[in-house]
Structure formats: structure tokens, C-alpha cells
Amino acid sequence: MKLVSVIVLAYRSAETIVQTLDSVKNQIYKNIELIITDDASPDNTVEIVQNWLGDNEGTLSKMQLVTTQQNTGIPGNINRALQYAKGDYVKLIAADDYMTRDAISEYVKFCEKNPKMFPIAKVHLFSDEKEGENVDFTPIEAYCNRCYEFASETDHKKQYRTLLKQNCIVAPSGSFYPMEIIRKLGGYDENYRWFEDYPMNLKVMHEGYRCGFINRELIYYRISGGSITASQQVRLKRTEMKLFFRERMFYMMQAGMGWEAVKQSRYWAKIALQK
């Protein structure tokens, strides 16, 4: 039974992380090392994790908490955990999501049957919003459905070209990888502080891997009713702009998508000129 490194990404996660950790502990697949990596949470996340680790000692192959004194963003938080990870596979999960009991088993089964592929599973959307503050899942469900359609494509070239045009992978659904490809790529790119999944998936597919689809809800994906602020939108846009000019544009050229690269470069040039 191959070892799976489950990395729980924590930041201000005091209210939700116990549910995430319990879902890892309760997996039917038992050869798991659990690494919780906290990105300098200002709340009592670390204390809660330490108490949980003390209460659950010995329930998994290995359990470890990694902390830092300075917030570094998502890629940096992942890379700290990867320094300690020994698994053949790695599963990332945010500390406000959780897994079904057979999630790791299903991910491993898929990868063992499908070399050079990384799996995307369905997600179950949920919210903790109080009554009267219900979240509208409709646009998120539509995005998820496009993700599943993308993952069902069996032609690598078509799939890769689709991903080059825009991100179409729901983060919690497609974050299970053979460790060898993550090591080969040197971990996550810390130039993109505000997101990690799109740059990594582009690189993995550029290396010849294809996405595959697990037609089951394996991840419970928590959706918040809070809106993204204008400053956050600008920050994310500028991060994606950086990704385009540093990598995506050149990948497009190599894939014979020169006209698409020209069109998108015009758009991102306008973003660059905005104050």
C-alpha cells in the first residue's frame, strides 16, 4: 500500500479545521501521513491543531504540524509541507473543506490504473451561512460542470489547449498528484502568491499528463457568502496577468495557439496599464 501525503492548508481556520482533520483520520485508506501547514494564522488555529494532534496520536502513519512566523501565501505554505512529505502521492486540502471516507482510496485506485494522469473528482458544495443568508450556488455549479466536462475529455491535446485558454479546474477536485511530478517541477511557484492550482496544473499538463474524471463527490467544498473585495479582485487579476506573460503565452505559442496568445496579450496589456 503506497504512502499518501495529505497536506492540510491552514490559515485562520480555527472554526473549521477539526472537521477537515477528522475526515483525514477517518479515511478507509490507512497508509497516510498527515501534514498540517499553517501560514501564520492570527487566530488560535495552531493551538487547536496541537490539541487535536495530542488527542489523536497514533491514528495515522505520521502526523506533523508545520508553522511559520511570516505569512507567505498559498504556494509557500504548500512548499513548507513538501519539505517533510515522503508519500508516493500528495493530496492537498484546504482547512475549511473535508473528504468522504473513501476519497484517498478512490484517488489512489484511479492513479494506479491510469499512469500519467491526475484525477479530478466531483465536489459537494455546501455553506455554513445562517438561514436567510443562503449562498447562490448556481454560478459555482455551472463552473463545476464545465470542470467535469473538461476532465472527461480523453484527447490530451484538446484538454491542454482548453486549459491554456482559461482555468477550468475546481481547486479542491483536482489536487491529487503523483509526488514524482511535483518533485520534478520543483514544487509550487511562489511567484503566484494568491493561487497555486492553475500554474501547477498547466505545468503538469505541459509535461504530458492528462486529467481524468472520477464521477463521484469525494470532496465537500465550503462556499462562503462573503463577496470578493475590489482590492482582492485587482490582486488576483494582476497575479493571473503575471502568469500569462511569464508562462501561458509561451505555452500557447508552443501549442500552435498564436492567435489566441495575441488576443489574450491585448487583454492583459490593458490590465497592466490600469492603476
Side-chain angles (χ1 to χ4, degrees):
M1 180 177 285
K2 291 187 175 180
L3 180 64
V4 177
S5 300
V6 176
I7 296 176
V8 175
L9 306 174
Y11 181 70
R12 290 184 175 176
S13 308
E15 295 183 1
T16 60
I17 194 167
V18 168
Q19 187 176 35
T20 307
L21 298 177
D22 283 344
S23 79
V24 180
K25 178 188 69 174
N26 294 329
Q27 290 296 300
I28 61 174
Y29 190 96
K30 292 304 181 183
N31 197 18
I32 292 173
E33 65 169 7
L34 170 62
I35 305 174
I36 307 109
T37 180
D38 181 80
D39 202 17
S41 291
D43 62 5
N44 62 333
T45 297
V46 169
E47 180 183 354
I48 288 173
V49 171
Q50 289 171 334
N51 290 337
W52 187 92
L53 290 172
D55 293 340
N56 293 276
E57 186 177 358
T59 56
L60 293 170
S61 300
K62 176 183 175 183
M63 298 190 293
Q64 183 171 358
L65 170 63
V66 179
T67 62
T68 181
Q69 296 299 312
Q70 182 178 358
N71 182 275
T72 59
I74 301 172
N77 201 24
I78 297 171
N79 286 337
R80 276 193 299 278
L82 287 173
Q83 295 178 28
Y84 302 94
K86 305 297 183 184
D88 299 288
Y89 295 106
V90 58
K91 169 62 184 166
L92 306 179
I93 185 165
D96 58 352
D97 301 330
Y98 63 98
M99 298 184 284
T100 62
R101 293 189 71 247
D102 61 345
I104 298 300
S105 177
E106 289 298 311
Y107 279 125
V108 172
K109 187 187 305 181
F110 178 93
C111 289
E112 291 294 290
K113 290 182 178 179
N114 301 280
K116 297 288 287 185
M117 292 176 67
F118 65 99
I120 289 178
K122 285 185 173 181
V123 297
H124 181 89
L125 305 177
F126 75 102
S127 172
D128 289 337
E129 298 301 309
K130 297 178 182 178
E131 189 175 353
E133 300 177 353
N134 293 331
V135 178
D136 181 10
F137 287 157
T138 305
I140 305 169
E141 288 173 342
Y143 181 80
C144 289
N145 288 333
R146 290 195 296 272
C147 169
Y148 306 148
E149 183 179 352
F150 163 82
S152 299
E153 173 59 62
T154 58
D155 185 288
H156 175 269
K157 183 177 179 179
K158 290 181 180 179
Q159 198 178 62
Y160 179 47
R161 288 167 69 96
T162 298
L163 191 65
L164 282 172
K165 289 181 180 179
Q166 62 180 9
N167 189 16
C168 47
I169 299 178
V170 182
S173 67
S175 57
F176 191 97
Y177 305 97
M179 187 68 83
E180 62 181 0
I181 186 61
I182 302 299
R183 300 293 190 204
K184 180 179 180 180
L185 294 171
Y188 285 73
D189 194 333
E190 296 183 29
N191 286 293
Y192 310 118
R193 178 184 174 91
W194 306 114
F195 57 68
E196 81 295 345
D197 54 317
Y198 192 24
M200 177 56 74
N201 288 327
L202 281 173
K203 290 178 180 179
V204 170
M205 292 200 71
H206 187 69
E207 288 291 323
Y209 280 73
R210 180 170 69 82
C211 293
F213 184 45
I214 299 176
N215 191 17
R216 280 196 53 211
E217 293 180 347
L218 299 182
I219 305 296
Y220 282 74
Y221 184 20
R222 192 184 310 266
I223 305 297
S224 169
S227 59
I228 298 177
T229 66
S231 62
Q232 288 173 324
Q233 288 177 335
V234 170
R235 186 175 66 192
L236 289 170
K237 276 291 184 184
R238 290 195 171 276
T239 303
E240 191 172 351
M241 176 191 69
K242 183 190 294 185
L243 173 63
F244 176 79
F245 285 117
R246 289 182 75 247
E247 296 181 58
R248 282 178 59 217
M249 182 173 67
F250 301 104
Y251 288 168
M252 285 179 175
M253 294 293 189
Q254 293 174 354
M257 299 172 64
W259 179 237
E260 180 67 28
V262 170
K263 288 193 296 183
Q264 291 208 16
S265 65
R266 290 172 178 171
Y267 169 79
W268 290 114
K270 290 179 182 178
I271 298 295
L273 292 173
Q274 292 177 359
K275 293 183 179 180

